[in-house]
Amino acid sequence: MNPLIRFYIFFAFTISIFISKNITLILFHFLFINLYFFLKKRIFFLWKDEILRFWLFFPLSSFIFFTISYFSSNHSLIIIIKNVFLSTFRYFLIISFTLVYFLKSKNDDLLLSIKNLIYKFSFKSIIINQAIIFFDLMIRFYPNIIKQWKNLIRGQNALSNNPEINYLKKVKTFAINIPDFILINLWRTEKLSTSMKMRGYGNKLPMSSYPILSLRTFDLRTLLVTLILLFGFHFAF
């Protein structure tokens, strides 16, 4: 499936959950994601490991919502509990759909799909192209920057006689090293910008990209069926 279509489908389900007002619509999304887990058991086990990180968020958000509603609204206790339950359930489904999207789309290139679409329709805008390249470079180099920072901390600990330092000393070490770290990455950015200018970036729009991720008939049909299904349930309930 095209990464752009997959993004729109999961985004549509997320918005649908957000605007669902009654338990029937929320249960529809709950049944849908359970059906998806039944068909994709590998994604289910990955999702189960990731959702455990939010074990504190759901009860804490429920408690805060209940406290605010109890002291600021005129609703009865039963209605407040019902609203808290629906809101927490809605949060759970939104986070679940988001996690499934990231787990399923880990190897997809959404930005590449957008660049292919821009090139196909000959959309000439230097601002949009610059924004796409900015996010593309940020996603591409972020793991490398994290790796550099970990190597820097590891080197500091190796040179230190007492690597087990307290929190205040860690903050001090971070403050001392961050200027050099920023300068090194600014130098890399300038070097990359020079290379892009030498290759003729910005002289011809729209820019082509490789590989080509074309929109197939199956992708468009899947998107259309999903939108009709969601709109139909919202109008029916």
Side-chain angles (χ1 to χ4, degrees):
M1 182 180 291
N2 188 283
L4 191 60
I5 298 298
R6 179 176 288 119
F7 170 78
Y8 276 126
I9 290 175
F10 278 92
F11 182 73
F13 269 98
T14 304
I15 296 299
S16 177
I17 296 169
F18 185 76
I19 62 177
S20 297
K21 298 298 182 181
N22 57 61
I23 189 64
T24 305
L25 286 172
I26 296 176
L27 285 177
F28 160 72
H29 295 89
F30 178 72
L31 292 175
F32 180 85
I33 198 170
N34 276 276
L35 178 62
Y36 184 85
F37 286 148
F38 178 77
L39 298 175
K40 304 285 185 179
K41 292 183 174 59
R42 185 183 66 86
I43 298 295
F44 168 73
F45 289 111
L46 294 174
W47 166 85
K48 186 174 65 173
D49 294 334
E50 295 293 331
I51 200 68
L52 291 176
R53 300 180 182 182
F54 297 89
W55 68 271
L56 188 61
F57 169 76
F58 297 116
L60 184 61
S61 61
S62 300
F63 175 75
I64 294 174
F65 185 34
F66 175 81
T67 304
I68 295 174
S69 300
Y70 183 79
F71 289 104
S72 62
S73 67
N74 297 323
H75 296 296
S76 64
L77 184 61
I78 297 177
I79 295 178
I80 292 175
I81 294 175
K82 177 185 175 183
N83 291 334
V84 169
F85 171 76
L86 291 178
S87 298
T88 306
F89 199 18
R90 194 182 292 116
Y91 289 150
F92 170 77
L93 289 175
I94 289 174
I95 292 174
S96 295
F97 270 91
T98 306
L99 286 175
V100 169
Y101 170 74
F102 282 112
L103 292 171
K104 184 66 177 177
S105 308
K106 187 176 295 183
N107 297 323
D108 288 347
D109 198 337
L110 180 61
L111 291 175
L112 180 60
S113 180
I114 295 174
K115 285 192 288 186
N116 284 326
L117 194 65
I118 291 174
Y119 181 75
K120 181 179 180 180
F121 290 99
S122 300
F123 190 72
K124 299 179 180 181
S125 174
I126 187 66
I127 297 177
I128 294 179
N129 280 276
Q130 287 176 344
I132 291 174
I133 290 178
F134 171 76
F135 285 109
D136 193 12
L137 293 176
M138 183 175 64
I139 294 171
R140 185 177 301 176
F141 290 118
Y142 177 75
N144 190 29
I145 292 174
I146 296 299
K147 184 179 179 181
Q148 286 182 359
W149 180 254
K150 289 181 178 179
N151 290 335
L152 178 63
I153 298 300
R154 192 180 295 113
Q156 291 290 334
N157 292 335
L159 294 172
S160 176
N161 294 326
N162 183 22
E164 298 295 333
I165 57 179
N166 57 30
Y167 179 76
L168 185 61
K169 290 185 178 180
K170 287 182 179 180
V171 173
K172 184 178 179 181
T173 303
F174 176 82
I176 293 173
N177 291 312
I178 197 65
D180 294 334
F181 187 74
I182 292 175
L183 288 175
I184 291 172
N185 284 280
L186 284 176
W187 175 77
R188 293 180 63 213
T189 304
E190 184 179 0
K191 194 174 180 181
L192 179 63
S193 301
T194 304
S195 301
M196 293 174 66
K197 288 180 180 179
M198 293 177 65
R199 293 180 180 180
Y201 165 72
N203 294 331
K204 185 179 180 181
L205 294 175
M207 295 183 297
S208 60
S209 58
Y210 183 83
I212 298 175
L213 303 176
S214 58
L215 290 173
R216 299 175 299 174
T217 306
F218 170 77
D219 298 327
L220 298 176
R221 286 178 178 175
T222 304
L223 178 62
L224 183 62
V225 169
T226 303
L227 294 178
I228 292 174
L229 183 67
L230 292 177
F231 276 111
F233 267 90
H234 277 278
F235 277 112
F237 299 101

